[in-house]
Amino acid sequence: IVMLADRIELNYAAPQARVVVFGLLSCVALAWPTGLLTTVFWTGGFIGLFYSFLAGVIVQLGLRFGGYARQIAWTYVGMLFFAALYSHSSFTAFAAVTGAALLLAGHSSGMTRWLSGGWLQFLGMISYSLYLLHNAITGAVFRVFTHFGTETLLWNLVGVAVALAACITCAWMAYRLIEKPAIAWSHAIKLKPTIVIRH
């Protein structure tokens, strides 16, 4: 999607093409939280939750470009609120609240103040690895817990704690062993500068 937006901007000199492309995709993605579409096309498919991912993208673009991009971000967050009320979805509501909180933090320069704590910086550092691994690790932990224990509140709370610890530990290891070396490797690649002349 990013490549498509950048190609549009390169060929047609469209300002902030990413805002336009992701904004249009967000409108399509709203079909799932509003219930207009329910199929996810394959078991465990992510498409039904794509609107929540796009909320983060739209908010980031709004904070980056300001102006109409920020207005689009606020509009999208507001539409998620209405979708949450319509569908009675706590997940959609959480996505909307998170987006609104980030927009408010960016508007009041709170990002650097509110998110400067060491543990938040640590979670931010490992967040990509955590994003990639959490689903599989959580599933594996609870498969073990349901096999060896009973479905009680205490047992499930212990499972959540173990799953959280396992996710953070594995994400930290992946960051140190894979992500950090890959970042260093990518910085070692020298690209020729590209000059774009726009008419």
Side-chain angles (χ1 to χ4, degrees):
I1 297 168
V2 171
M3 289 175 63
L4 171 64
D6 290 349
R7 178 57 60 90
I8 291 173
E9 189 163 34
L10 181 65
N11 290 342
Y12 302 101
Q16 287 86 43
R18 291 188 185 186
V19 177
V20 175
V21 171
F22 279 102
L24 292 173
L25 275 176
S26 298
C27 292
V28 175
L30 283 171
W32 278 269
T34 55
L36 295 176
L37 290 175
T38 56
T39 178
V40 292
F41 299 107
W42 65 89
T43 303
F46 179 69
I47 193 71
L49 300 174
F50 196 44
Y51 69 90
S52 61
F53 173 82
L54 288 171
V57 177
I58 293 294
V59 166
Q60 186 273 337
L61 293 173
L63 294 174
R64 177 182 177 186
F65 293 117
Y68 77 94
R70 186 166 296 187
Q71 293 173 3
I72 290 174
W74 274 115
T75 301
Y76 186 66
V77 167
M79 293 171 76
L80 284 182
F81 272 117
F82 283 111
L85 292 174
Y86 176 77
S87 62
H88 305 288
S89 170
S90 58
F91 181 85
T92 305
F94 191 80
V97 169
T98 303
L102 290 172
L103 284 170
L104 288 172
H107 181 71
S108 60
S109 301
M111 269 314 175
T112 53
R113 297 197 311 273
W114 302 344
L115 304 178
S116 60
W119 66 279
L120 285 172
Q121 290 294 312
F122 171 75
L123 290 177
M125 180 182 71
I126 66 170
S127 61
Y128 185 64
S129 293
L130 189 61
Y131 160 70
L132 293 177
L133 299 174
H134 77 278
N135 198 32
I137 293 171
T138 301
V141 168
F142 272 95
R143 180 177 289 271
V144 172
F145 266 72
T146 54
H147 181 74
F148 290 102
T150 56
E151 284 287 331
T152 64
L153 177 60
L154 179 60
W155 188 247
N156 284 333
L157 287 176
V158 172
V160 169
V162 171
L164 185 61
C167 286
I168 291 174
T169 301
C170 291
W172 175 76
M173 292 174 62
Y175 172 79
R176 292 296 302 270
L177 298 175
I178 301 172
E179 191 175 346
K180 192 174 181 180
I183 292 171
W185 177 57
S186 69
H187 289 169
I189 299 174
K190 303 299 181 184
L191 301 176
K192 294 180 180 179
T194 302
I195 299 176
V196 178
I197 300 176
R198 302 190 178 192
H199 300 284

